Amino acid sequence: MDHSRTASHWDLQHFDPVFLRAEWSFHPYAKQRLHHLLGGVAAREEWFYYQHLNGRSNLRALGIGVGTANSELRLLSTGTIGRYDLYDVSQAALDSARVDAEHIGIADKARFICKDIHTVDLEPESYDVITFIASLHHIEDLDGILKKV
């Protein structure tokens, strides 16, 4: 399947201020509820870290549909993940993520790969952590992707 139209859409959407303001998780009530559900921690990345990654090190991670990789870069900056392969169809979003990673000094621990994850050959059991942060519902063949990894 040709995903060039999808990539073009996300190349623009990730930087549209109207879209960013409309994102449900930015609404103050949603933030307050999420904060409560996460047990009082500041962000979902912090919750995920404390629940699943704390005390571990040098993990190999795969991020699928990362967009500008805000959450993935937060996880990478904890030092728990040694290498994060970040996939998205939007080169513009990945370029933005790379700039952010360079700014915080972790770009050497990430690979920014502009490809449709459905077309990638992944080695079985080559990752310790797989994230679909805000992208799971965009994956056409979820079962097929999960079987690959």
Side-chain angles (χ1 to χ4, degrees):
M1 174 178 257
D2 178 22
H3 287 93
S4 60
R5 187 170 163 206
T6 303
S8 295
H9 167 79
W10 286 110
D11 280 350
L12 298 173
Q13 195 76 6
H14 282 296
F15 307 100
D16 180 349
V18 173
F19 170 75
L20 295 175
R21 280 195 318 270
E23 172 64 29
W24 71 268
S25 64
F26 292 122
H27 190 281
Y29 290 131
K31 281 181 154 182
Q32 181 181 11
R33 178 70 176 147
L34 189 57
H35 180 72
H36 171 74
L37 292 173
L38 295 176
V41 296
R44 63 183 174 213
E45 299 86 7
E46 186 179 356
W47 174 87
F48 185 77
Y49 170 78
Y50 285 116
Q51 291 293 315
H52 301 288
L53 304 179
N54 197 11
R56 301 178 72 192
S57 63
N58 206 32
L59 298 174
R60 300 159 302 161
L62 168 66
I64 298 175
V66 300
T68 57
N70 293 324
S71 295
E72 291 82 1
L73 294 181
R74 285 189 198 119
L75 289 173
L76 187 56
S77 69
T78 66
T80 301
I81 295 173
R83 183 66 164 186
Y84 217 142
D85 290 342
L86 304 169
Y87 282 86
D88 200 274
V89 296
S90 170
Q91 186 63 57
L94 290 171
D95 289 345
S96 176
R98 181 179 288 108
V99 168
D100 290 345
E102 289 169 355
H103 179 73
I104 58 178
I106 57 173
D108 62 319
K109 295 181 179 184
R111 292 192 317 158
F112 303 89
I113 305 159
C114 187
K115 286 189 178 179
D116 173 13
I117 196 66
H118 295 91
T119 66
V120 176
D121 290 324
L122 299 169
E123 292 293 321
E125 300 182 29
S126 57
Y127 295 100
D128 304 303
V129 177
I130 301 169
T131 57
F132 292 85
I133 300 170
S135 64
L136 184 66
H137 58 285
H138 293 288
I139 304 301
E140 294 172 17
D141 180 19
L142 184 58
D143 289 337
I145 297 299
L146 292 175
K147 286 178 186 173
K148 285 184 179 185
V149 294

